[in-house]
Amino acid sequence: MCTTCGCGSGQTRIEGEHEHTHVHADGTIHSHPPAHGHGEQGHDHAHPEHHHHGHEHLHSHGHVHADGTRHVHTHDHALGPDHDHLHEHAQDGPAHSHAAGLTAAQMVRIERDILGANDEIAGRNRRRFEDAGIFALNLVSSPGAGKTTLLVETIRALGAELPLAVIEGDQQTSFDAERIRATGCRAIQVNTGKGCHLDAAQIERALAPLAPADDSVLFIENVGNLVCPSAFDLGEAMKVVVLSVTEGEDKPLKYPDMFAASSVLLLNKVDLLPHVSFDVKRAIEYARRVRPGIEVLQVSATTGAGMAAWLDWVRAGAARARERRQHTVEALRRRIAELEAQAARSR
């Protein structure tokens, strides 16, 4: 269960998992169903430790001031012997969910357990990426902001010079993964079922059939949602939030956790600015109020406007990841040489 919004878990399907899968050089995937009858439902359910009768309600009302700070206060309204109405306000991190049958303390404990387990797996993913020189990016946005189109055009521009791979996250369908594979790029679809975001365990599982190359760029397209993905570290180097000008310039203040967690803001569909009422200056101001110093790139994936700066940014990140890996390898070689020299002197 996601303790940010209370969405369900389970029914996760990772393309290629529990199947005899071959990923061809052109990015297409050929799979054989398993003989041992694995179903599509995952086994990642979270079960509360206690069961409560009566009606206890948990409400979260995060208040973000104009300067991006959050105000914290607690209310306790007794509505009768069997009806406690509790308001819990989180100072840091996403707001807790409204979950019947759980007290505030239980929700906090469950959230810590879930996020703690997620962070442990995210750490493994991050070490794997760093050891392989993989530049992993977590692309987040609301639905329809243009992430997939942006990825398609990015792959077409960079596919000849960098090894690329994509993990696609959606509740259902493999439409986006098919669009990515049509470019010749390797892609794996993760269907989250009842879940509203990707988590680190799903990424770890998807890496097995995807097998991204060393020194590659891995794009993770998260489920369209500006709330829950902010709380779940996937092991990525950075989160990139995509905001379309067809939305509202106030999104950074409405959904501050996501923008605070992101290192880059891609302001997409700027070709539509003459046709919409969107204040670019105000949107950037709001984003930097929540995340001072956030890098902002204005792009149009359909016309190509501003894409050169985005492509250069990806190239630079990939180069840094390769350099870090090379430094690590060289340091390891030096250490091995030192140990061999010490052993030789002791003989």
Side-chain angles (χ1 to χ4, degrees):
M1 181 182 70
C2 171
T3 57
T4 301
C5 71
C7 74
S9 62
Q11 297 188 357
T12 297
R13 181 181 183 276
I14 296 177
E15 198 173 39
E17 190 177 49
H18 304 314
E19 297 175 351
H20 303 292
T21 303
H22 178 68
V23 183
H24 298 279
D26 63 357
T28 59
I29 295 180
H30 182 64
S31 302
H32 299 280
H36 42 73
H38 282 282
E40 292 187 0
Q41 290 200 0
H43 300 282
D44 53 351
H45 299 275
H47 299 284
E49 295 180 20
H50 303 280
H51 300 277
H52 284 258
H53 300 284
H55 304 280
E56 295 180 355
H57 296 278
L58 188 69
H59 287 251
S60 61
H61 303 282
H63 177 68
V64 181
H65 294 284
D67 62 359
T69 59
R70 308 182 75 179
H71 183 63
V72 182
H73 54 92
T74 304
H75 302 288
D76 189 347
H77 303 285
L79 301 180
D82 294 321
H83 197 142
D84 294 331
H85 203 173
L86 302 178
H87 294 262
E88 184 71 17
H89 299 263
Q91 182 176 3
D92 297 308
H96 300 292
S97 66
H98 181 181
L102 293 175
T103 66
Q106 288 171 325
M107 285 299 296
V108 169
R109 183 168 62 251
I110 292 171
E111 178 172 328
R112 287 175 178 169
D113 289 346
I114 291 173
L115 293 181
N118 181 83
D119 289 347
E120 182 177 350
I121 300 171
R124 290 204 301 265
N125 292 344
R126 183 168 287 108
R127 288 189 294 273
R128 175 174 179 173
F129 297 146
E130 291 175 351
D131 290 346
I134 295 172
F135 185 43
L137 294 174
N138 182 3
L139 272 64
V140 294
S141 78
S142 58
K147 296 192 302 298
T148 308
T149 300
L150 178 77
L151 274 180
V152 166
E153 297 307 317
T154 300
I155 291 164
R156 286 174 176 164
L158 295 179
E161 61 180 277
L162 290 172
L164 307 173
V166 177
I167 296 175
E168 278 289 343
D170 282 300
Q171 286 192 300
Q172 299 293 343
T173 82
S174 60
F175 294 154
D176 287 352
E178 290 165 5
R179 287 181 63 188
I180 297 298
R181 285 195 287 265
T183 68
C185 183
R186 298 161 61 87
I188 288 289
Q189 182 73 54
V190 177
N191 290 136
T192 59
K194 295 180 180 179
C196 63
H197 56 84
L198 292 172
D199 61 34
Q202 292 166 344
I203 298 304
E204 184 178 53
R205 290 161 57 189
L207 289 173
L210 182 62
D214 290 353
D215 298 333
S216 63
V217 178
L218 173 64
F219 295 104
I220 302 169
E221 183 178 349
N222 219 312
V223 178
N225 181 352
L226 277 178
V227 182
C228 304
S230 66
F232 286 82
D233 182 9
L234 305 181
E236 72 273 12
M238 296 179 185
K239 284 184 176 67
V240 176
V241 61
V242 181
L243 174 64
S244 165
V245 302
T246 58
E247 299 174 68
E249 65 267 11
D250 55 359
K251 283 289 181 71
L253 296 185
K254 287 184 174 180
Y255 303 94
D257 290 330
M258 182 60 78
F259 288 83
S262 299
S263 301
V264 179
L265 165 60
L266 285 183
L267 195 57
N268 194 23
K269 304 185 184 181
V270 294
D271 56 301
L272 298 179
L273 281 172
H275 310 290
V276 296
S277 298
F278 185 93
D279 191 324
V280 172
K281 183 178 179 181
R282 184 171 295 176
I284 296 173
E285 176 194 343
Y286 288 162
R288 288 180 172 157
R289 189 181 296 181
V290 173
R291 172 73 183 253
I294 190 171
E295 189 166 359
V296 180
L297 300 174
Q298 299 182 44
V299 301
S300 168
T302 55
T303 68
M307 286 293 288
W310 160 243
L311 298 174
D312 285 343
W313 185 89
V314 175
R315 290 186 184 102
R320 288 193 301 271
R322 292 193 301 270
E323 290 169 4
R324 281 195 297 268
R325 177 179 183 244
Q326 187 60 36
H327 291 159
T328 301
V329 170
E330 290 173 356
L332 182 59
R333 287 173 177 167
R334 287 194 299 270
R335 181 56 180 160
I336 291 173
E338 291 171 0
L339 292 174
E340 290 175 342
Q342 290 174 6
R345 288 194 298 268
S346 65
R347 288 198 291 268

